[in-house]
Amino acid sequence: MQRGDGPQKAIDVHISIVGAGHVGKWLFENLATKYDPGKTGVRIHVDRIVAKDPKKQRQGFGEGILSFDLEDAFKGPKTKIVVEAISDLKASRDIACKAMESGKHWVTSSKTMALYPREIVGAAIANRRNVGYMASVGGGTCVLDRISKIPYAINTVVGVLNTTSHFILKRMLLGETYEAALREAQGAGLAEPNPDFDVKGRDGAHKISIVAQRAWNTAVTHEQVCTEPIDTITPVDIQLADALMFRDERGKKHPHVIMPLQVAQMQSGKLALGCFPALVPGNHALTTIGERENAVYIYHEGRKEPVEVRGPGAGEPTADAMISDIVEIAKKDAAGIADPPTLSRRVEVLEPGEMESEFYIRLYTQNVPGAMHKISGVLAKHAINMQMFYQPLLTKRGVRSPIAIIVDKEKGRVVQGALREIEELGYAEDILLLRLFH
Ligand SMILES: NC(=O)c1ccc[n+]([C@@H]2O[C@H](COP(=O)([O-])OP(=O)(O)OC[C@H]3O[C@@H](n4cnc5c(N)ncnc54)[C@H](OP(=O)(O)O)[C@@H]3O)[C@@H](O)[C@H]2O)c1
């Protein structure tokens, strides 16, 4: 404020909310109980809340505000922003486009941008509208905002953005089986009855594609992400990773921890996108992430240490990110600013099989003469170099036992090809391939 200016006038903004599930309710409640317009300078008025099923019992949304007709979200003459929190991403895209064609801005908690970035950006630019989707990744951490505010070229973004998978692997570190850890996650409300969307990596793939859009201003989608599940990991892998020591620059030894990572990284001018479980050295900050936390590390030009963003992921803080978006868009609207994302940069994305990493191979082999010779022979034929070979148990002839092998940086498709050949030879079975992240 300049000297002589009077106090700034508060902005009034009217919104409609589509979706009266968890997020819709948190949003409505936080606006009513926690939100402080005196701090932000924006008074937020909720015109309508639209849900789908009129037969559902609902409480806490005052009289006359709830509707089951989607049209009501767009009708209010004063409504400036359609705020949407539904799980149907195609319907979310249609709501976004209709809102913008009707002259409204759009805020969402859904991962719609992972599927339809071009349609959303096209509608925002054509209608000169603003969009906010900070809540779609990392809940209350506001990681997308932090990425936007880095004015330098970004090299790598790595993090943990799927709470379900993280919780399960954390519990497996404590000695639980995958099945027991999943049941516990379901009991704690962190996993769906059908957990596939989370444990097969699809949720994380959606999130890292939205992160990459923001970091490189490019319209990538979830389909371009190398996506691998966590439900193939066994307690044996947790133990093997723990036994594989890594020596840091001070000579101190650290075990490895298996973590469900989301990674976006420039590799030789191309963008590598991944959502996969990986072995992380025990001294990496990633390993300190709490079991219900989300965290992201952003590595950019001119700085060795990453920028860290961490905090509560899913759950009620999601509403905080939505309110931040509403406030920002209300201010832009009042100032007549249309600032839609462009995602206009062309960046070539690596095919999943072309992504390079060091790899961990776990396989079971019968202890018979020549078995290891055959296995290492196939790896050598494919020019794959072994850094380490580890068999944890003394094993008598003919007994099946697990073996861990760490190989040098290589393309995923090359290592997968070699492993197929090893399996066909009949000397190894139950093969698992994981990446290392350093
Ligand atoms: N829950 C979280 O912690 C969290 C965190 C970040 C992001 N998100 C994302 O936020 C979105 C909402 O999550 P949620 O947990 O609130 O889901 P939810 O509890 O299942 O609620 C979804 C709501 O959307 C309504 N709905 C669905 N399709 C609709 C349509 N076509 N038109 C109008 N309303 C429709 C449903 O109506 P009825 O009630 O009538 O069925 C319900 O009220 C999802 O995309 C989710 O991925 C969730």
Side-chain angles (χ1 to χ4, degrees), residues 301-346:
E301 283 298 331
R303 186 165 162 170
K304 192 165 170 277
E305 290 305 312
V307 174
E308 178 188 56
V309 184
R310 67 193 284 169
E316 183 262 355
T318 305
D320 305 348
M322 298 187 91
I323 296 173
S324 296
D325 274 344
I326 294 167
V327 167
E328 191 178 325
I329 289 179
K331 287 182 176 171
K332 282 183 185 167
D333 185 83
I337 297 168
D339 181 27
T342 62
L343 305 188
S344 55
R345 190 179 279 180
R346 281 180 183 275

Side-chain angles (χ1 to χ4, degrees), residues 55 75 85 151 191 199 229 316 356 362 365 394-395 403:
K55 291 191 216 84
K75 266 192 205 152
V199 301
E316 183 262 355
E356 287 186 344
R362 178 262 286 154
T365 184
L394 281 177
T395 309
I403 285 173

Side-chain angles (χ1 to χ4, degrees), residues 20-23 52-53 56 58 85-87 109-111 314-315 318:
H22 294 96
V23 175
K52 204 174 173 186
D53 183 357
K56 265 191 198 168
R58 295 173 210 267
I86 67 173
S87 34
S109 61
S110 311
K111 290 168 275 293
T318 305

Side-chain angles (χ1 to χ4, degrees), residues 367-385:
N367 185 358
V368 291
M372 272 320 295
H373 176 70
K374 289 280 182 192
I375 291 167
S376 59
V378 175
L379 293 176
K381 190 179 114 190
H382 290 266
I384 298 168
N385 189 50

